Amino acid sequence: MSQTQVRAACPHDCPDTCALLVTVENGVATEVKGDPDHPTTAGVLCTKVSRYTERTYSPDRLLYPLRRVGKKGEGKFERISWDEALDEIAARLKPLAATEPESILPYSYAGTMGLVQGDSMSSRFFHKIGASLLDRTICATAGATGYKYTVGASIGTDIEQFQNAKLIIIWGGNPIASNLHFWTRAQEAKRNGAKLIAIDPYRSLTAEKCHQHIALLPGTDAALALGLMHILVRDDLLDHEYIADYTVGFEELRQRVAEWTPARVAATCGISVDEVEGLARDYGETAKRGEPVAIRMNYGVQRVHGGGMAVRNIACLPALVGAWRHAAGGVQLSASGTFKKNLAALQRPDLLAKQPRTINMTTIGDDLLRPASPEFGPQVKAVIVYNSNPLAVAPDSGKVQAGFAREDLFTVVLEHFQTDTADYADIVLPATTQLEHTDAHSAYGHLYMMANNPAIAPMGEAKPNTEIFRLLAARMGLDDPCFRDSDDELASVAFVQFDWESLKKKGWQKLEVPDAPFACGNFPTPSGKCEFYSESMKSDGLDPLPAYIPNYESAASSPELAAKYPLAMISPPARNFLNSTFVNVQSLRATEGEPHLDISPDDAATRGINHGDMVRIFNDRGSFVCKARVTPKARKGLVVGLSIWWKKLAGDGKNANEVTSQRLTDMGRAPTFYDTLVQVEKAA
Ligand SMILES: Nc1nc2c(c(=O)[nH]1)N[C@H]1C(S)=C(S)[C@@H](COP(=O)(O)OP(=O)(O)OC[C@H]3O[C@@H](n4cnc5c(=O)[nH]c(N)nc54)[C@H](O)[C@@H]3O)O[C@H]1N2
Ligand SMILES: Nc1nc2c(c(=O)[nH]1)N[C@H]1C(S)=C(S)[C@@H](COP(=O)(O)OP(=O)(O)OC[C@H]3O[C@@H](n4cnc5c(=O)[nH]c(N)nc54)[C@H](O)[C@@H]3O)O[C@H]1N2
Ligand code: SF4
Ligand SMILES: [Mo]
């Protein structure tokens, strides 16, 4: 019997990007475990990925190309050969590429975060044919933009420092579910005497385990941060030297935050004045004592109208109190900007003959239904989906579904499984999983470059995304030599200055960066300082100072809508799923049970809803049905539907995105999933 251990990396859209060790016996992967030597993984994987072999060897894996034989959405397909599949796709795409290439749209996100199987050969292909560009906004661009205006780039506190902080604010994140290895560090900090505070409208698994939980109304974080700044200034809990040396706009900021009295903030956020005052004191006084204060901000704060501004306001806090002086102080939203990725070499934007239009993935519902027009350009006539499941994950799902149901739309889906989206495909192509292909990874929650070596041969006739686009390029007659690069050649240019051969052997390698990135300023902003006042925002038509932008949908900003739909709904990640990935893994779905809606005892009582009742959640965009859990975890006025369910695995074939909207954030053109008013009633 032959047994080997292969070094790999977790491909999922999770900040932790764990280092994996895959045990292979006689060509079969028998175990996937965490590398004990990798400092952040420390030998531990989440339940999802410790079951990765169950997913890879699932009897439901797509193993052959398929052609649709039923109606769109019905899920009836026949097996065809790769030659037939490629011929048919080329025959459909060629005339479009020759006449109006922008009618072809790639649709992809982060099914794999790999730099090779993500966007390398695929981008080259779409660039060469002149397809529409996709604005990949569905997750993080609001926050990334707000952070960039303030700090300069997605660079922050190293996860490997958080255990040394004396105060950790977990702001809009649920790390027990979505950033497990950060939670390990926070626990260590707690054992070392740190206080943990969660800021979250919902009593999440994480909020439950912190010393304090501040349950503000969704979308009011920007106001809370303004209130904290007000108190820090009022009580002189500031690091004047840091402010003078490494920030711009303090005087303007001081005037702005004067308006944000604790009483006004408390009323805006739906919390008590004591909570605002106490949080400011904890933060400012701990910093004043010279102890590290750290914020783990996460994406939960930025899925609302003013999400970019909320991130910007929070990102101002560490500079005010000089928290950046400490390696364990500051804030982390994403570490992705620390990596020097070589996207131009991977994706070759130089292959573009001219700049095509850009379509925002968040508004795919409307854009698939849009006719040709001078402003929009040609109607979308072909969509190639890979690494994404838009039918389940994109907002305003009724429209997304109607768009994909268009008989005249040609849809190709590259997938591991027959997802909701694959049901609408004309051609489905089987893709390899992380155990079956090569990749190079950066991360957004730690500072290691990672290598993924293939552990097993591709299942059935599955092929890596890269190979599929290589074959398609050949079928389309694209003969540029760049379409012949192997996955190893692609991986070897993934980063600026690194050695792929040695990374492959070692599995991971830490970036060489200072422990405390902004201890002495050096912010990558235009001024080189932390920008309380931002000229760039001003020239982009935004308020140059921290501000509060209320939700589109709230009692305060839209009272008429709130009269009809009085409950704010959020739909953050379920612990055992990863977006819509893993929903079809039986053991993980069994742990999650079935789709639920958490509703407060008060809101349930006024609606005659009992624990376990089936309820209908609705607004003008749509509705879905699931089981109510009456629980004080949801504050009054809030309902929570942990996500993202496959529609076809939910009782009524619908999920939370039936009611979310396609409206965009204040900056970054991102979705507003958590800016949604609904009504809830007992289902008939
Ligand atoms: N297990 C698991 N892990 C995941 C994922 C998954 O689906 N499952 N998804 C991955 C991806 S793609 C991402 S982007 C991250 C997302 O994970 P996080 O960055 O942690 O963000 P969210 O899950 O959107 O929300 C986290 C918390 O924010 C809260 N929240 C909602 N609205 C607000 C608000 O207005 N203000 C504040 N302060 N809090 C709010 C929610 O109640 C939730 O508890 O996790 C990644 N990790
Ligand atoms: N209501 C609501 N909606 C949300 C969110 C929310 O919190 N609430 N979160 C949003 C966020 S943060 C995000 S990031 C998006 C996530 O949206 P997506 O990035 O679309 O994530 P997934 O749903 O996990 O779908 C990824 C798909 O890629 C496939 N895949 C994985 N690896 C490969 C591969 O190598 N090749 C190919 N061809 N396919 C592969 C998987 O099988 C899976 O079906 O959803 C967003 N939607
Ligand atoms: S999903 Fe996240 S926690 Fe789980 S193995 Fe992958 S990187 Fe690690
Ligand atoms: Mo995300």
Side-chain angles (χ1 to χ4, degrees):
M1 189 178 92
S2 84
Q3 200 200 64
T4 50
Q5 216 162 44
V6 177
R7 289 192 177 277
C10 176
H12 291 295
D13 190 351
C14 167
D16 299 29
T17 313
C18 289
L20 312 179
L21 294 175
V22 184
T23 308
V24 183
E25 292 173 45
N26 300 319
V28 177
T30 52
E31 192 186 15
V32 176
K33 58 184 190 194
D35 182 348
D37 297 328
H38 181 244
T40 60
T41 307
V44 177
L45 302 180
C46 63
T47 26
K48 306 176 290 292
V49 173
S50 38
R51 307 259 171 81
Y52 203 77
T53 53
E54 193 181 330
R55 186 174 186 276
T56 295
Y57 292 115
S58 162
D60 300 335
R61 266 292 292 281
L62 291 168
L63 299 176
Y64 312 102
L66 302 172
R67 179 196 288 128
R68 182 169 57 83
V69 290
K71 285 209 281 290
K72 292 209 174 187
E74 207 177 35
K76 287 201 185 129
F77 290 84
E78 64 178 5
R79 180 176 168 182
I80 55 174
S81 70
W82 270 102
D83 275 334
E84 286 172 284
L86 294 166
D87 283 343
E88 187 162 335
I89 298 167
R92 295 292 295 265
L93 297 187
K94 258 187 181 166
L96 296 176
T99 54
E100 40 177 26
E102 288 173 313
S103 66
I104 301 172
L105 177 69
Y107 197 95
S108 71
Y109 200 63
T112 167
M113 298 283 289
L115 294 164
V116 174
Q117 304 303 336
D119 273 299
S120 63
M121 208 43 90
S122 50
S123 296
R124 293 178 179 189
F125 174 80
F126 292 112
H127 287 154
K128 188 70 194 174
I129 64 176
S132 288
L133 300 176
L134 186 73
D135 201 1
R136 292 184 170 82
T137 56
I138 204 155
C139 175
T141 47
T145 308
Y147 196 85
K148 184 165 190 235
Y149 282 131
T150 313
V151 172
S154 293
I155 297 173
T157 312
D158 184 347
I159 181 180
E160 291 179 70
Q161 298 289 345
F162 273 88
Q163 68 280 6
N164 301 320
K166 281 291 169 262
L167 172 71
I168 301 180
I169 301 178
I170 298 174
W171 202 324
N174 178 15
I176 292 182
S178 62
N179 187 190
L180 191 61
H181 299 81
F182 164 78
W183 181 245
T184 310
R185 303 268 165 175
Q187 290 291 93
E188 200 180 328
K190 191 177 175 185
R191 287 193 294 276
N192 296 337
K195 180 171 183 182
L196 309 186
I197 304 176
I199 303 179
D200 193 318
Y202 176 59
R203 198 163 183 81
S204 67
L205 292 170
T206 305
E208 241 165 21
K209 295 207 162 54
C210 288
H211 295 102
Q212 191 188 356
H213 170 211
I214 300 179
L216 78 186
L217 289 167
T220 61
D221 303 273
L224 180 56
L226 286 162
L228 298 184
M229 292 192 260
H230 174 99
I231 298 168
L232 296 173
V233 171
R234 183 196 70 194
D235 296 352
D236 194 27
L237 294 168
L238 301 168
D239 183 333
H240 293 282
E241 232 175 282
Y242 193 91
I243 292 171
D245 293 346
Y246 306 130
T247 73
V248 288
F250 176 70
E251 192 43 41
E252 293 93 331
L253 179 78
R254 197 179 61 73
Q255 289 173 33
R256 171 61 59 88
V257 302
E259 305 159 18
W260 286 92
T261 61
R264 179 178 176 196
V265 170
T268 307
C269 301
I271 56 178
S272 70
V273 169
D274 281 351
E275 285 174 303
V276 185
E277 291 278 358
L279 181 62
R281 235 179 4 254
D282 277 335
Y283 189 69
E285 287 176 1
T286 310
K288 202 75 178 179
R289 284 197 297 273
E291 294 178 334
V293 291
I295 301 173
R296 179 59 167 112
M297 177 168 31
N298 232 311
Y299 290 103
V301 301
Q302 50 99 68
R303 305 196 199 289
V304 292
H305 182 190
M309 194 61 94
V311 166
R312 160 162 172 70
N313 294 5
I314 296 166
C316 288
L317 292 166
L320 277 178
V321 300
W324 289 119
R325 291 186 189 279
H326 305 272
V331 54
Q332 188 198 91
L333 173 62
S334 160
S336 64
T338 320
F339 292 84
K340 296 201 167 41
K341 290 168 251 186
N342 196 352
L343 297 183
L346 288 166
Q347 303 178 351
R348 298 288 308 274
D350 58 295
L351 294 169
L352 285 167
K354 68 178 183 59
Q355 190 66 22
R357 70 161 167 204
T358 299
I359 288 188
N360 189 338
M361 70 186 302
T362 300
T363 54
I364 184 69
D366 279 344
D367 289 338
L368 285 182
L369 295 172
R370 230 183 271 283
S373 73
E375 308 79 59
F376 182 62
Q379 186 189 33
V380 177
K381 298 204 172 114
V383 188
I384 290 81
V385 181
Y386 52 103
N387 303 338
S388 186
N389 185 10
L391 253 293
V393 307
D396 203 354
S397 199
K399 288 198 175 148
V400 181
Q401 193 160 335
F404 275 102
R406 267 177 47 204
E407 273 308 324
D408 61 335
L409 181 73
F410 178 64
T411 303
V412 180
V413 176
L414 285 60
E415 251 302 348
H416 299 153
F417 291 101
Q418 190 66 33
T419 58
D420 290 328
T421 307
D423 281 348
Y424 284 80
D426 293 282
I427 303 282
V428 177
L429 300 175
T432 45
T433 68
Q434 191 76 341
L435 299 188
E436 301 151 71
H437 57 225
T438 297
D439 220 324
H441 289 252
S442 58
Y444 61 101
H446 66 57
L447 302 177
Y448 293 81
M449 293 182 283
M450 312 286 291
N452 184 71
N453 294 293
I456 58 172
M459 300 285 291
E461 295 181 4
K463 295 184 192 298
N465 292 344
T466 43
E467 179 63 9
I468 297 175
F469 285 102
R470 263 182 224 113
L471 292 169
L472 266 179
R475 277 298 200 287
M476 300 275 291
L478 311 180
D479 53 12
D480 192 295
C482 79
F483 294 113
R484 291 192 288 277
D485 285 353
S486 68
D487 286 3
D488 258 315
E489 283 165 326
L490 289 165
S492 71
V493 299
F495 298 100
V496 177
Q497 284 179 342
F498 85 120
D499 180 19
W500 171 237
E501 288 306 318
S502 92
L503 186 64
K504 267 205 302 196
K505 287 195 197 85
K506 289 188 290 193
W508 39 269
Q509 185 188 322
K510 193 164 186 180
L511 303 174
E512 284 173 33
V513 288
D515 280 349
F518 307 124
C520 305
N522 292 318
F523 290 92
T525 53
S527 64
K529 298 183 172 190
C530 177
E531 301 203 346
F532 298 145
Y533 181 96
S534 162
E535 276 301 338
S536 318
M537 292 181 77
K538 194 175 172 200
S539 54
D540 292 344
L542 298 162
D543 190 333
L545 283 167
Y548 167 59
I549 299 166
N551 278 5
Y552 289 113
E553 304 191 359
S554 71
S557 61
S558 46
E560 275 170 36
L561 190 73
K564 263 166 64 187
Y565 305 120
L567 298 170
M569 189 194 82
I570 58 173
S571 46
R575 184 180 189 174
N576 294 287
F577 302 152
L578 208 135
N579 300 321
S580 78
T581 304
F582 295 108
V583 179
N584 61 319
V585 174
Q586 179 56 40
S587 61
L588 294 169
R589 189 167 73 253
T591 314
E592 285 299 325
E594 60 189 302
H596 284 102
L597 186 81
D598 286 5
I599 183 166
S600 73
D602 270 0
D603 291 319
T606 53
R607 291 166 178 78
I609 293 167
N610 295 310
H611 193 79
D613 281 351
M614 295 306 287
V615 290
R616 183 172 161 265
I617 300 101
F618 62 99
N619 60 20
D620 290 339
R621 290 177 288 268
S623 71
F624 67 104
V625 173
C626 66
K627 192 177 263 187
R629 286 197 298 212
V630 178
T631 164
K633 287 182 179 194
R635 58 166 289 165
K636 190 170 174 335
L638 179 81
V639 290
V640 183
L642 298 179
S643 290
I644 306 171
W645 281 84
W646 279 25
K647 294 190 187 196
K648 61 178 162 184
L649 296 177
D652 64 341
K654 292 177 175 180
N655 73 12
N657 278 320
E658 297 293 331
V659 296
T660 56
S661 91
Q662 294 180 68
R663 274 196 290 232
L664 303 180
T665 49
D666 54 342
M667 50 186 100
R669 310 161 306 281
T672 52
F673 289 114
Y674 303 167
D675 188 338
T676 302
L677 285 179
V678 297
Q679 182 56 292
V680 178
E681 65 184 16
K682 232 171 144 148

